[in-house]
Amino acid sequence: MSAVKGAGKGDGRLTTHVLDTMAGRPGAGITVVLDRLGDDGGRTRVAEARTNADGRCDAPLLAGNDLVAGRYELTFAVGAYFQAGGAALADPPFLDEVPIRFAIADAGQHYHVPLLISPYAYSTYRGS
């Protein structure tokens, strides 16, 4: 990767997890995509993963020097998850892909961005 303003400090990381609030269990097998958003409106794909049985990614989405200050977007493919689980969904589903835009101000910190999801609602927060 090329040098980016706000280069990583080496010890920060970005993690996520998904909780299925309808079923009361982790959201396993959900595709998660991470894009870095540019000041010019462009985006760069920096990571893609699937959640494990605990609803978490097996490794941080970004860590160390790859984590730099800036604006990001996580996108969760929840429509496919609920459809595969047999949830009764409209066609097309009310929630298909859930994007969460956030910023990293200090690349030396741990940023945890969880998603609580049901077929008709979601919430997030900065976790620890």
Side-chain angles (χ1 to χ4, degrees):
M1 284 188 191
S2 62
V4 178
K5 177 183 163 189
K9 296 180 182 178
D11 52 358
R13 67 191 187 281
L14 171 65
T15 58
T16 189
H17 76 275
V18 181
L19 297 173
D20 178 342
T21 59
M22 181 181 83
R25 64 177 177 233
I30 297 174
T31 299
V32 180
V33 172
L34 176 66
D35 292 322
R36 183 175 295 122
L37 305 176
D39 293 335
D40 62 357
R43 63 178 54 229
T44 303
R45 176 79 31 97
V46 294
E48 186 169 339
R50 285 180 78 81
T51 57
N52 60 25
D54 194 36
R56 300 174 184 275
C57 298
D58 289 330
L61 294 166
L62 287 177
N65 291 328
D66 290 333
L67 181 67
V68 297
R71 294 180 315 120
Y72 292 85
E73 182 176 275
L74 276 169
T75 305
F76 299 83
V78 299
Y81 163 78
F82 284 117
Q83 187 174 33
L89 302 175
D91 186 18
F94 179 70
L95 294 175
D96 186 20
E97 293 186 340
V98 172
I100 300 174
R101 286 193 174 188
F102 61 97
I104 292 176
D106 181 351
Q109 291 188 16
H110 177 199
Y111 286 79
H112 185 67
V113 183
L115 177 67
L116 286 68
I117 191 73
S118 79
Y120 296 96
Y122 67 92
S123 64
T124 190
Y125 55 94
R126 179 168 177 198
S128 57

